[in-house]
Amino acid sequence: MASGTAASRVTGQLRTILLAAALGTTGLAANAYQAGAIIPQSVFILVSGGVFNAVLVPQIVRTLEEKDAQERLNRLITLAIIILLTVTVVMACASPLLARIYVGGNDPQMIALTTSFTLWCMPQVFFYGLYTVLGQILAAKNRFGMYAWSSTGANIISCAGFTAFVLLFGKANEQPLDFWTPDKIALTAGAWTLGVAFQALILFLPMMKLGLKYRPQFGLSGFGLRAMGPVALGSLGVVIVSELSGIIQTRVATLAPMKAHEMSGIGLFDVAGNATYQNAFTLYILPYSLIAVSVATAMFPKISKSIANHDLDEARQDLLGAMNNVTLLITFFAIAMVVYPEPIIRALLPSVSMNETMLIAYALMGLSLGVPIVSINLLIQRTFYAFEDGLHPFLCALISYGCLTVIIVIGMLVLPPEYWVFANAIAVPIGYAIGTPPTLLMLRRKFHGHLGLRPFVITFLKCTCAAIVSGVVVWLLKTPVVSLFGANIQPARHLNPGDNAAALAASPAAQAITPDAGQMSWLSSIGICITLTIVLTVVYVGVLWLLRTKELTVLARPVLARMKRLVKNH
């Protein structure tokens, strides 16, 4: 499972690199593709949040323990297929409307291209759902191999499509609408959909090896689906709130380049848009998914068992331990992405230009400030679900996403369009910071008024202190280290008044040769990242050690013990 997840992360990052090489991270094609790819994922999240994760998936484990497991599984899979096919067909018919909702504005080219990408991506709703159901069946049977590795196959197929596109047509970020014929859309969005289909359908092979051969059967009786209704509604409410906020964020980010061009004459490719935000979000989510999601996944069964046994003390200790460990690890990655985002982006996205790098960096810095608090909220949400409580996670999401959305709208009203994407990014940590205190108060009631947060607050303050000290040290060393590796970092074009004025008077051809935001080769970015990360690690760990952080001692003890054994053996 771990090797498959790692391979999926690596190939997924390669896919992101090839996507940027084919479509760029700014302009018509990049923003239209990102919106077209997000819409089907948002639809699936709605379905999975309200029906699959809260209702169908929990039934799978119970079904496998029954004598008539094969017949029950057939009915569950058939129900899932009917729901997914219905939703996919309806949403495909609504693609033009969904494109208008997500991208906003009155640009017919943007809406037309977004609609085309959405139509090609919409079948992913069906295959993502099928993958979820079949994967949970295999997981319940302790068969993780194909389940873990199938997403790697999906990434490879998509990479093949983007590679073929780059070889045939080059980078198409500045191509007009009439360039995008069906064959070109098929190589980009179509190849990704083909990959997702492979990811789902390949899981029938291990199913057959287990002796589970699917045949369509119908019927809903005997599953107890009605009893899961309240949890499903709460889960669906969380998803709806987050998706409404996501729609507003996507509309604002997609409109930013066009509004900046209309108001100030800034080039469409020099302003951060939705593709810029999505690339920043892809990098921001890496430590969150690897650390917070992994810990939450491991924590959930244990806390659920403790709560089922009415052992709130053990559940409390499990939650606080998870919060402390996640904070210790995730804060390190947060400060790294805040202080030196440029070499990180160049190392992980070598196909983007330096100006695109700077635009992504501003968004990544804003998002990264919120990684610790967002991770803690995930652990809190899973704890509510362990109590079979769907209402309070919905209320928590309403507070956080409501604040986040208000900040995005205020940013759009008071800031120039070239800063809208940064406002979207910084809204995430602010929104979650406002929503976390009332969330903790709600959770406290579940533990009979005693959550015991004092140790967590102390750990959080120590990690924040270590992050600030190590961040300042690395920031002071950043410029000389960058120069040492022959690189140079300058602000994005729209932040340089001289270049901006020149761009206003220049023709499109002249704008293309406007000085870029510095220069940094891929090898230089690797060297800078390694050097600054070593310094950051030494200072961050050193400060935590001086502050006698208990969690660091616990994590370091097995490492030090192993090192001592190696020294003795030699």
Side-chain angles (χ1 to χ4, degrees), residues 122-142:
M122 194 59 75
Q124 294 175 18
V125 174
F126 174 81
F127 292 112
Y128 275 132
L130 189 61
Y131 169 79
T132 300
V133 173
L134 298 181
Q136 288 299 317
I137 294 173
L138 293 173
K141 287 287 188 177
N142 293 319

Side-chain angles (χ1 to χ4, degrees), residues 237-277:
V238 172
V239 174
I240 290 175
V241 170
S242 66
E243 290 306 313
L244 287 175
S245 178
I247 290 173
I248 294 172
Q249 180 276 317
T250 302
R251 285 174 65 96
V252 172
T254 304
L255 283 171
M258 291 180 285
K259 289 295 183 181
H261 183 68
E262 293 172 4
M263 296 171 62
S264 307
I266 302 175
L268 291 172
F269 304 100
D270 293 334
V271 178
N274 186 46
T276 303
Y277 181 87

